[in-house]
Amino acid sequence: AMGGLERDPETIPGHRMPGASDIDLLQNSVSLTAEAGFEDGDLVVSVEIVNDRTGHHVPTDSPLRHLILLVGAAGPNGALALVDGPVLPEWVGVGDPGQGRYAGLPGTAYAKVLEELWTEVYPTGAYWNQTRIRSDNRIPALGSDATEYRFDDPGGPVRVEVTLIYRRAFIELAEQKGWDVEDIVMERTVVDLGGE
C-alpha cells in the first residue's frame, strides 16, 4: 500500500549482525587441527589454524581483540617442558595461568598490535592517537597459520591439549578499566599418545 513490493517474509535474508558477542559465531569461525608424535627423542606437536569460515582477518575490528593459542603437553609426572617453539608474549598477561595470564607458556598470540608513537606504549587500543603497527599476524580470510612445538619426551603416555581463546581486550587494560570480559574458547582439541 506504500509502494513497496510484497514479499514472503521467509524469503528475506536475515540482517542480524551478532558480532563478537555471539559465542556460536566465534566457535564457528576457524578450523583447528593438531597432530602429535615422537621424533628424535622429543614429542612434536604441529598445530594449524585455518580461517575458512569468515570473510575477513581473524581477529578483526578493534585492535584490542586477539586470539591466544595455548599448547600444552603432560606426561605421567605432570607438564612437559618446551624444548623448542613459540611462547606467548607478556601482553597476554604475566602471572597465574589459572587467572588467564599465559605469558611464557607454549603458544602463539594473533593480533594487530599497535604502538603509540610518542610514548612507545604497546599494545594499545588508542588508535585515535598517532600509532604504528608493531606487528600484525592476524589470519586472513581463507588463510592459515601453522606452528610447531617440541617437548621433552616423558617416556610414557602423553596428553596434548590445544586451545584457541578469543579475548576482547588486553588483560591489563581490562583490569584497569574494570571491564568484565570473559575469554571465549573458540576451539579445543586433545591428542592422547602412548609412550615409545
Side-chain angles (χ1 to χ4, degrees):
M2 303 299 284
L5 297 173
E6 285 191 26
R7 294 188 287 175
D8 178 353
E10 297 295 321
T11 66
I12 302 171
H15 288 75
R16 189 173 83 85
M17 296 182 195
S21 62
D22 188 307
I23 293 174
D24 288 337
L25 176 82
L26 292 172
Q27 292 177 337
N28 288 289
S29 297
V30 300
S31 297
L32 182 144
T33 56
E35 296 177 356
F38 298 102
E39 179 184 298
D40 298 328
D42 292 333
L43 168 68
V44 179
V45 180
S46 300
V47 180
E48 183 177 32
I49 301 170
V50 181
N51 181 1
D52 54 357
R53 294 180 234 156
T54 74
H56 50 69
H57 284 58
V58 173
T60 193
D61 196 28
S62 169
L64 295 175
R65 296 176 178 177
H66 52 285
L67 304 182
I68 300 169
L69 176 67
L70 286 170
V71 181
N77 298 316
L80 303 183
L82 183 70
V83 174
D84 188 36
V87 295
L88 290 162
E90 285 189 8
W91 53 258
V92 301
V94 175
D96 181 5
Q99 299 296 314
R101 298 177 172 282
Y102 305 119
L105 295 179
T108 304
Y110 299 90
K112 181 178 183 178
V113 178
L114 299 181
E115 177 182 46
E116 293 186 17
L117 287 179
W118 295 350
T119 63
E120 297 183 346
V121 168
Y122 78 92
T124 181
Y127 53 83
W128 49 88
N129 291 336
Q130 284 190 315
T131 60
R132 67 174 149 241
I133 298 172
R134 187 174 174 99
S135 65
D136 186 354
N137 68 339
R138 296 172 300 156
I139 305 170
L142 302 179
S144 64
D145 186 70
T147 51
E148 186 176 277
Y149 308 82
R150 297 181 83 90
F151 296 89
D152 279 333
D153 177 3
V158 172
R159 169 162 278 201
V160 175
E161 289 190 38
V162 179
T163 307
L164 183 64
I165 296 169
Y166 173 84
R167 188 173 276 176
R168 287 190 178 92
F170 300 112
I171 194 165
E172 299 290 341
L173 179 63
E175 288 179 355
Q176 219 175 46
K177 298 285 187 181
W179 296 338
D180 185 19
V181 287
E182 290 185 19
D183 290 347
I184 296 170
V185 174
M186 291 177 67
E187 297 284 334
R188 176 175 278 143
T189 189
V190 174
V191 179
D192 287 310
L193 296 171
E196 284 190 300

